[in-house]
Amino acid sequence: MSQPAAPAVAQPREVTVVRDIFDPVGLDALPWEHWAEPGRAGVELHRLYLTDDDAAGAAMITRMAPGAHGDLHEHLGHELILVLEGELRNDNGDRYRPGDLVIEEPGSVHRVSTVTGCTVLGVRHAATRPVG
């Protein structure tokens, strides 16, 4: 009869934990930076990670003030957006509310905005390219 396998030993690693992202108090505690980019207004972000490979993927929590908008851009890879609070509008007329999960396909072109203000978690598999 074979011996049971020894339990795995946890390996040291770095883990990032962001707590209470569905709570405005938890979101307010994050360090925010102004997102200064042509065609973008009223947007702050908290970077979770950036990849250092050729695809230049990223994950971030983005906070948009009432009336804010992003730039018109093309996705070079998938983008996943989870609305945490407020309402996000896509330029095709779609409106997304807390709990909505949106996936933009590679090659899609869009511009997001908000009337009320919103906070979203965004994960990009690759960089974006400005359009126009």
Side-chain angles (χ1 to χ4, degrees):
M1 198 170 245
S2 64
Q3 296 289 331
V9 176
Q11 300 296 313
R13 65 189 189 281
E14 290 190 34
V15 177
T16 300
V17 177
V18 179
R19 300 206 183 273
D20 301 322
I21 65 170
F22 292 105
D23 181 343
V25 174
L27 289 169
D28 287 343
L30 295 174
W32 294 94
E33 61 183 274
H34 175 71
W35 192 340
E37 186 174 275
R40 187 174 300 277
V43 182
E44 297 178 308
L45 70 119
H46 172 77
R47 294 181 199 276
L48 298 169
Y49 67 79
L50 296 171
T51 61
D52 57 3
D53 57 14
D54 292 339
M60 63 195 86
I61 300 173
T62 305
R63 177 179 276 175
M64 300 175 72
H69 60 80
D71 64 331
L72 182 64
H73 60 274
E74 176 186 3
H75 287 275
L76 304 179
H78 286 89
E79 177 183 55
L80 179 145
I81 299 171
L82 174 63
V83 180
L84 303 174
E85 59 182 17
E87 181 184 79
L88 180 69
R89 293 183 176 190
N90 217 333
D91 61 358
N92 66 356
D94 289 347
R95 295 179 181 192
Y96 312 117
R97 294 178 177 81
D100 287 350
L101 180 66
V102 182
I103 300 171
E104 291 282 348
E105 299 288 327
S108 65
V109 175
H110 75 135
R111 178 179 175 165
V112 295
S113 63
T114 181
V115 172
T116 62
C118 67
T119 304
V120 302
L121 167 65
V123 180
R124 292 179 174 168
H125 182 258
T128 62
R129 176 175 35 224
V131 174

